[in-house]
Amino acid sequence: MLNKNKLFIQKLRSSGLRPTRQRVEISKFLFNRKKTFHFTVDDLNKLINSKRNKKISLATLYNTVHALKSAGHLQEFSLENNISYYDTNISSHHHFYDSGKLIDIKRKDINFKKLPVPPSGKRIKNVEVVIKLENVK
């Protein structure tokens, strides 16, 4: 357990954050899982604070998530209504979007025959596809 704590602390420090007890708890909550975790900060607030007597402030959650994202530990997606979704899987991959939930699609499951030529002085860094789903009527 102590070695895992080092990993969470290292992520915080590499994000420019002091590893306080609350931030370590946030880092554990985000990264101590077997599967990818997709969330909004509001989702995170509800999930992490539902099991706590002393709540972690929304400001602490926002600041921690944004620092982790800036350091490259989280991906951010802005989807409908300018809501930011975050993903703990930072590898290049795609998503289904279904009623506020993101579902991973492996990069190899989508093929491109041709990409547009980027503007002068630019190169394509990454291609991410979000496929929006709806119920069949």
Side-chain angles (χ1 to χ4, degrees), residues 29-43:
F29 189 86
L30 294 175
F31 302 110
N32 192 23
R33 11 180 112 246
K34 292 183 181 174
K35 290 189 168 192
T36 298
F37 181 49
H38 301 101
F39 64 97
T40 66
V41 175
D42 287 337
D43 294 337

Side-chain angles (χ1 to χ4, degrees), residues 10 21 24 38 62 94-95 115 117 120 137:
Q10 182 181 28
R21 190 170 5 108
V24 170
H38 301 101
Y62 268 105
H94 311 288
H95 292 94
L115 292 174
V117 176
S120 178
K137 297 177 182 180

Side-chain angles (χ1 to χ4, degrees), residues 91-103:
S91 69
S92 182
H93 65 287
H94 311 288
H95 292 94
F96 285 117
Y97 178 71
D98 185 22
S99 303
K101 294 187 193 270
L102 289 167
I103 303 161

Side-chain angles (χ1 to χ4, degrees), residues 16-126:
L17 295 173
R18 194 169 45 87
T20 63
R21 190 170 5 108
Q22 288 184 333
R23 289 179 181 146
V24 170
E25 187 174 339
I26 294 166
S27 185
K28 280 182 188 178
F29 189 86
L30 294 175
F31 302 110
N32 192 23
R33 11 180 112 246
K34 292 183 181 174
K35 290 189 168 192
T36 298
F37 181 49
H38 301 101
F39 64 97
T40 66
V41 175
D42 287 337
D43 294 337
L44 180 61
N45 183 37
K46 289 173 192 161
L47 291 168
I48 204 165
N49 281 321
S50 68
K51 300 170 186 171
R52 293 178 51 91
N53 290 334
K54 190 173 180 186
K55 305 291 185 206
I56 297 174
S57 75
L58 194 54
T60 298
L61 291 169
Y62 268 105
N63 292 336
T64 304
V65 166
H66 285 284
L68 289 166
K69 179 198 67 121
S70 294
H73 300 299
L74 296 171
Q75 280 190 31
E76 179 181 14
F77 301 89
S78 291
L79 296 173
E80 295 178 347
N81 302 322
N82 291 325
I83 296 173
S84 289
Y85 289 83
Y86 297 90
D87 189 348
T88 57
N89 180 355
I90 57 171
S91 69
S92 182
H93 65 287
H94 311 288
H95 292 94
F96 285 117
Y97 178 71
D98 185 22
S99 303
K101 294 187 193 270
L102 289 167
I103 303 161
D104 286 348
I105 302 171
K106 292 177 186 169
R107 182 181 172 118
K108 67 179 177 94
D109 290 343
I110 294 180
N111 295 309
F112 298 98
K113 288 195 183 245
K114 184 179 179 195
L115 292 174
V117 176
S120 178
K122 300 288 182 177
R123 66 181 173 91
I124 295 173
K125 178 180 174 184
N126 191 21

